[in-house]
Amino acid sequence: MTDREMMEFDVVIVGGGPAGLTTACRLMQQAQEKNQEISVCLVEKGSEIGAHILSGAVVDPKALTELFPNWKEMGAPLLSEVNQDELYWLGSETDSRKFSSWMIPKTLHNQGNYVISLGNLCRWLAEQAESLGVEIFPGFSAAALSYDEEGNVEGVITGDMGVAADGSQKSGYMPGMILKAKYTIFSEGCRGHLGKELIERYQLDKGKAPQHYALGIKELWDVPAEQSSPGLVVHTAGWPLGKEAGGGGFLYHLENNQVSVGLIVDLNYKNPFLSPYEEFQRYKHHPLIAKHLKGAKRVAYGARAIVKGGWASLPSMSFPGGLLIGCDAGTLNPAKIKGTHTAMKSGMIAAELLFKALQSEQPEKELSQYNDEVKASWLGKELEQARNFVPAMHKFGTFLGGAYNWLDQSIFSGSLPFTFKDMTPDYACTELASKHQPISYPKPDGKLSFDKLSSVFLSNTNHEENQLCHLQLKDADVPIKENLPKYSEPAQRYCPAGVYEVVQQGEESIFQINAQNCIHCKTCDIKDPSQNIRWVTPEGSGGPNYPNM
């Protein structure tokens, strides 16, 4: 047993995204209103708040307005209000057809929303949290759960520093600390590794549809001033994915002559030869997209899994000793393609319940009423109205599923008397390589399309080289003995950072893990058809350092 230092708080929050930071702010707001002292600690594995935050992002300010009604006067970084909102069907690599406004589901209309950098919003929220008295510890990963003798969560253990790749202690070894709390809140984002453990341990997803995911890949470009159109929002469906996969593309104009462009690929795709990264490189060559990037310079790159199962996949969010909130639970509204406002609302509901519990002389170990309060809120109503969005797309495909969702969302506001569920996990949708032909992707031109390694360079990703590998194989033989002959080892293609390779050493095939490249997207943990890869936290501050994503 490692001898560890311990710090005690009323509440420990894991993750410095919008859900966790909102929880922290709202807790301290209430403490100030009631003139009471509470201790709140937030740990973030990134080198700073915002370092690991990546989103499109078009944000509905609804929850932010509830949290800080005067956010404009306070200087919140919501600067580019949506003023043009366009949706296109891409029929081929050159064809595009614009949808009339009436043809766009009302959930995808963005009037009153803002094009933002979510990382910058989180940095701003962290400033507000600290000014309210929250202790924020960036660069500390919550590596493990701490349980009491009765099996209740009593906090987290931060990752050890200075452990070599072989497990030995280096000269600068420092054991992680136990951060103990009356309640621990998990807001790690999509596919949080501790959230995953909690769901399994307490069977929080019992009776629910399996969670579904997409991979979002994004770049940030500096464009010539004459091409900048802050507030322009472009969404696309169809090519390059077509029948191969669900998903769609986006291009948003921000302030400061910047454009964010990206592709979202549903991770239930069948063809093991499909590469989401290469599909994105093709996407940028479409004339509709390329015209926005003419004469521009790519300045940032990143990727992140997106949780999109919605209502049917939402687990129980309470357990003895804490709560799951935001994308750690799966609160994103897929019909709106937005999760920031819902994550923030889940944090506000959590904070108000936590504050009440902390006032009790004998607080309950499990705040099970959290689930009911979420469902009774506008967050719950949004998710229920959007309950069929993802399963309809999975069942009927992009075009027919889109038509159903237009009818359901625009005419009936999600009240059609049907409830679809997709009970097949995304990884299980991967078909044998023998059923498909390899896809020949064009070489990058260095102007619009690029190779993986140059992209990873722009993510500012760095890990201490001599450390335990944070990409764990349950069985080291599976990649070569099972995945290679059956699926042509798809990790080589679904990873958007070149982490996984099959290399030849003489006549032997070796599965190589380049953990230094990992941008923490979690796709491997989700899509591996053998469910043999487990993503855990590396040493604190390791991973990408996104400046404005």
Side-chain angles (χ1 to χ4, degrees), residues 86-99 227 232-240 249-253 259-261 282-294 448:
E86 300 175 355
L87 176 64
Y88 292 85
W89 176 264
L90 305 186
S92 70
E93 60 188 12
T94 57
D95 175 61
S96 64
R97 298 181 183 182
K98 186 178 180 180
F99 287 92
Q227 288 175 215
L232 170 60
V233 166
V234 177
H235 286 112
T236 69
W239 188 89
F250 64 87
L251 185 142
Y252 306 148
H253 280 253
V259 165
S260 64
V261 59
R282 293 173 66 201
Y283 176 70
K284 288 178 289 177
H285 283 274
H286 194 285
L288 180 73
I289 303 304
K291 68 181 182 182
H292 292 273
L293 306 177
K294 185 178 180 181
L448 289 174

Side-chain angles (χ1 to χ4, degrees), residues 256-325:
N256 300 323
N257 302 330
Q258 289 198 315
V259 165
S260 64
V261 59
L263 186 69
I264 297 170
V265 181
D266 291 350
L267 288 177
N268 68 333
Y269 64 82
K270 298 177 181 179
N271 186 349
F273 293 110
L274 187 143
S275 165
Y277 178 87
E278 298 295 349
E279 296 293 345
F280 174 49
Q281 300 312 306
R282 293 173 66 201
Y283 176 70
K284 288 178 289 177
H285 283 274
H286 194 285
L288 180 73
I289 303 304
K291 68 181 182 182
H292 292 273
L293 306 177
K294 185 178 180 181
K297 179 185 178 182
R298 189 176 71 141
V299 295
Y301 166 84
R304 188 71 173 92
I306 301 166
V307 60
K308 59 189 286 289
W311 184 254
S313 303
L314 198 66
S316 173
M317 294 176 280
S318 66
F319 51 86
L323 300 171
L324 281 176
I325 65 173

Side-chain angles (χ1 to χ4, degrees), residues 58 80-85 110-115 230-233:
V58 175
S80 300
E81 188 169 359
V82 176
N83 51 45
Q84 296 179 71
D85 198 3
N110 287 296
Q111 291 87 347
N113 297 332
Y114 289 79
V115 181
L232 170 60
V233 166

Side-chain angles (χ1 to χ4, degrees), residues 7 38 64-65 80 142 171-173 222 285 316 384 399 405 408 415 450 458 505 540 549:
M7 297 176 69
I38 61 172
L64 179 61
T65 301
S80 300
S171 58
Y173 173 74
D222 287 339
H285 283 274
S316 173
E384 186 175 17
F399 196 80
N405 280 318
D408 187 30
S415 64
F450 306 88
L458 286 181
Q505 291 186 0
M549 299 282 267

